[in-house]
Amino acid sequence: MSRIVGLKAAKGAIVGAMAVAAIGLAAPMSSAANESSWTQGCRGYWYSTSGHSYCQYALNDSYQTTFDCNAEIDTQKTKSVRIGFEGKMNTHECTFKINKTTVGLWI
């Protein structure tokens, strides 16, 4: 009887270890970053698969945000804001991973 219980415990431990390994391989590493400089009061931020542009104090009225997805075509979004705007401008979600988000002026 103790041999059967021992075998079941060993099988359970193996299945558990395999599940943890599978989750580790499937789940992407979490990362967060932002542009090192501001573009006329705004800059891009990105976290794992999501990117957004944020303004601390917009000095221009038109911006373009570029979302650089790892396994997809890059996406660009434009936004017109009022001078002095503070807050989130644009967001985009990549399917697998985002490399970076950049903000530029839209002319």
Side-chain angles (χ1 to χ4, degrees), residues 16-74:
M18 291 173 66
V20 168
I23 290 170
L25 290 173
M29 293 292 291
S30 180
S31 63
N34 59 270
E35 286 185 278
S36 58
S37 62
W38 295 83
T39 300
Q40 296 285 309
C42 303
R43 70 177 170 184
Y45 292 82
W46 59 97
Y47 311 94
S48 299
T49 59
S50 149
H52 72 268
S53 53
Y54 177 83
C55 294
Q56 188 175 31
Y57 187 88
L59 298 172
N60 202 323
D61 60 356
S62 298
Y63 293 89
Q64 178 172 292
T65 306
T66 302
F67 302 94
D68 177 13
C69 294
N70 194 41
E72 303 161 55
I73 296 173
D74 295 350

Side-chain angles (χ1 to χ4, degrees), residues 77-96:
K77 294 184 179 180
T78 56
K79 181 81 173 188
S80 293
V81 297
R82 70 186 190 292
I83 303 293
F85 172 79
E86 296 179 34
K88 193 181 291 187
M89 272 194 310
N90 284 312
T91 62
H92 181 71
E93 189 74 31
C94 299
T95 303
F96 300 105

